Amino acid sequence: MRALDDLPVAGRRVLVRCDLNVPLDGTAITDDGRIRASVPTLRSVIERGGRAVVMSHLGRPKGQVVATYSLGPVADRLEQLLGVPVRRATDVVGESAQSAVAGLADGEVALLENVRFEPGEEAGDEAFADRLAALGDCYVGDGFGALHRAHASVAGVPARLEHAAGYLVQAELDVLRRLTTDPERPYVVVLGGSKVSDKLNVITNLLGVVDKLLIGGGMCFTFLAARGHGVGDSLLEADQLDAVREMVALAERRGVQLLVPEDVVIAQQVSATAPTQVVSADAIPAGWKGLDIGPASVRTFTAALAGARTVFWNGPMGVFELAPFAAGTLGVAEAVAATGGFSVVGGGDSAAAVRQLGLAEKFGHISTGGGASLEYLEGKVLPGVAALEKD
């Protein structure tokens, strides 16, 4: 895979696929981590005399122009972080985009509108990829969070132009290789989030690599139900019970310690003002929902993490956005940070939680792409990586 530093950019229109898919509250960006992560690559392009043409998606507008998914707020923040003006196109490949790109001088930046406003993006449409590629002379893939998508701007454009991997993609792939190729031991993986079905394949693959696997979040209730426990009104994927039982048996055969919560915080509504209780994980009453792991579980998980030399964490332990259900995620985050080993947060809600809790600086790496990280750890070929690896 060609590195950015080996790609000539001076005087050239450089299409840079970033992942600027940041959370918004109206037009206010609530976490600019992905924009910050894109800055080093963009700065390299413009400081070496390239004409950066930035592409990104935001949200899921499904091929329609949706005002709330405009990249306008992102352009404002990108301009602040780069310290240079950012020309803003009001479309993706139309007259505005063509005019913005044509007006660029060396060292300047343009931002195309949300590529997912075009139906051809997610469809991987060849004609749309042609139109995107026509806006540039070369391509830099730096949108790690989208590398698992065979979209036009991710896989189609690099097939048409001289290309290289940006600094963010190089760094993310280096971390993932470190997690999968002879990781320093003990190696502990912590998985949370809502659905076990989203992580079945990655868990199966990890069981051949890790020493301990800790399960929290909404997905833990399917594990508890598989043990025969009632889970009240907690999130449950009943169709995954047999698969979970097989997974537990596989962990036993491979000598992997698999831990699930021993106590949980419950409430009858998902609300910051709802009355809560802490109960044993096998004693959740009917009509109540498990919304966080309990204090005893935090202590057990902390003990399991102590001394770990490699840790990968993906998915919060509960509904961390609400104060009554944030203690489990905070406790696990602090335990991971305290290991002193190489700790990786796998993007998405986990990354948001770490930043929200003020613990970001204590981790070795915070990924910008949860889905891409998981698919890599699952052993899948990521379309965007495959495209960048081709000559």
Side-chain angles (χ1 to χ4, degrees):
M1 183 182 293
R2 190 178 194 178
L4 172 60
D5 290 345
D6 297 326
L7 180 70
V9 299
R12 305 177 81 187
R13 299 169 302 159
V14 186
L15 285 170
V16 187
R17 179 45 159 109
C18 297
D19 178 8
L20 308 177
N21 184 30
V22 293
L24 295 171
D25 182 2
T27 59
I29 297 169
T30 58
D31 182 356
D32 67 356
R34 284 176 171 162
I35 304 176
R36 289 180 177 276
S38 299
V39 166
T41 287
L42 294 174
R43 188 162 282 147
S44 171
V45 169
I46 61 177
E47 287 180 352
R48 290 192 289 141
R51 305 176 183 187
V53 181
V54 184
M55 304 179 291
S56 180
H57 68 284
L58 178 65
R60 297 178 178 176
K62 299 181 179 179
Q64 303 293 322
V65 176
V66 180
T68 53
Y69 291 130
S70 171
L71 286 172
V74 170
D76 292 337
R77 186 62 181 136
L78 185 61
E79 192 168 85
Q80 292 170 356
L81 292 170
L82 284 174
V84 298
V86 174
R87 293 176 180 261
R88 305 169 194 193
T90 57
D91 55 30
V92 184
V93 291
E95 290 183 5
S96 178
Q98 293 173 36
S99 176
V101 173
L104 287 177
D106 294 354
E108 293 186 345
V109 182
L111 175 66
L112 305 182
E113 188 49 281
N114 189 339
V115 289
R116 288 187 182 172
F117 282 0
E118 292 281 348
E121 166 65 2
E122 293 186 83
D125 181 72
E126 297 288 337
F128 177 60
D130 286 341
R131 295 182 70 189
L132 271 177
L135 295 173
D137 302 307
C138 56
Y139 174 94
V140 175
D142 207 41
F144 176 74
L147 287 184
H148 59 313
R149 308 297 189 191
H151 294 172
S153 67
V154 176
V157 178
R160 290 160 167 76
L161 295 174
E162 184 181 8
H163 55 265
Y167 295 144
L168 174 61
V169 162
Q170 288 178 296
E172 294 272 16
L173 293 177
D174 286 345
V175 166
L176 289 171
R177 293 186 190 105
R178 188 169 171 181
L179 292 176
T180 53
T181 305
D182 196 25
E184 190 175 356
R185 298 186 181 280
Y187 180 11
V188 183
V189 169
V190 184
L191 294 178
S194 57
K195 294 184 178 180
V196 68
S197 57
D198 292 339
K199 296 184 171 79
L200 276 176
N201 292 332
V202 71
I203 292 174
T204 300
N205 204 45
L206 285 170
L207 287 175
V209 184
V210 304
D211 300 300
K212 299 177 185 178
L213 179 61
L214 316 184
I215 303 292
M219 62 188 288
C220 78
F221 299 103
T222 303
F223 279 82
L224 292 169
R227 293 186 174 186
H229 302 322
V231 296
D233 286 352
S234 306
L235 185 63
L236 171 65
E237 291 183 280
D239 61 337
Q240 301 296 329
L241 291 174
D242 287 341
V244 166
R245 293 186 187 105
E246 291 175 7
M247 197 179 303
V248 171
L250 178 61
E252 291 177 357
R253 291 196 300 271
R254 292 186 173 176
V256 175
Q257 185 180 6
L258 194 157
L259 298 177
V260 297
E262 57 203 80
D263 65 342
V264 293
V265 181
I266 61 172
Q268 290 181 303
Q269 290 91 31
V270 184
S271 166
T273 58
T276 64
Q277 297 181 36
V278 176
V279 300
S280 173
D282 60 1
I284 302 171
W288 290 71
K289 310 173 192 291
L291 297 172
D292 193 15
I293 64 172
S297 301
V298 172
R299 290 191 293 271
T300 299
F301 283 17
T302 298
L305 283 159
R309 300 307 305 157
T310 305
V311 182
F312 175 73
W313 174 28
N314 180 276
M317 297 294 98
V319 187
F320 74 95
E321 299 91 343
L322 302 179
F325 315 113
T329 299
L330 174 60
V332 168
E334 290 176 333
V336 173
T339 62
F342 179 58
S343 54
V344 179
V345 179
D349 288 341
S350 311
V354 165
R355 292 192 182 98
Q356 181 176 312
L357 296 169
L359 296 170
E361 293 182 0
K362 295 185 178 182
F363 289 83
H365 180 75
I366 299 178
S367 178
T368 57
S373 294
L374 288 175
E375 289 201 14
Y376 186 100
L377 293 175
E378 188 180 325
K380 287 186 175 179
V381 174
L382 306 187
V385 173
L388 291 173
E389 288 177 337
K390 292 180 180 177
D391 293 333

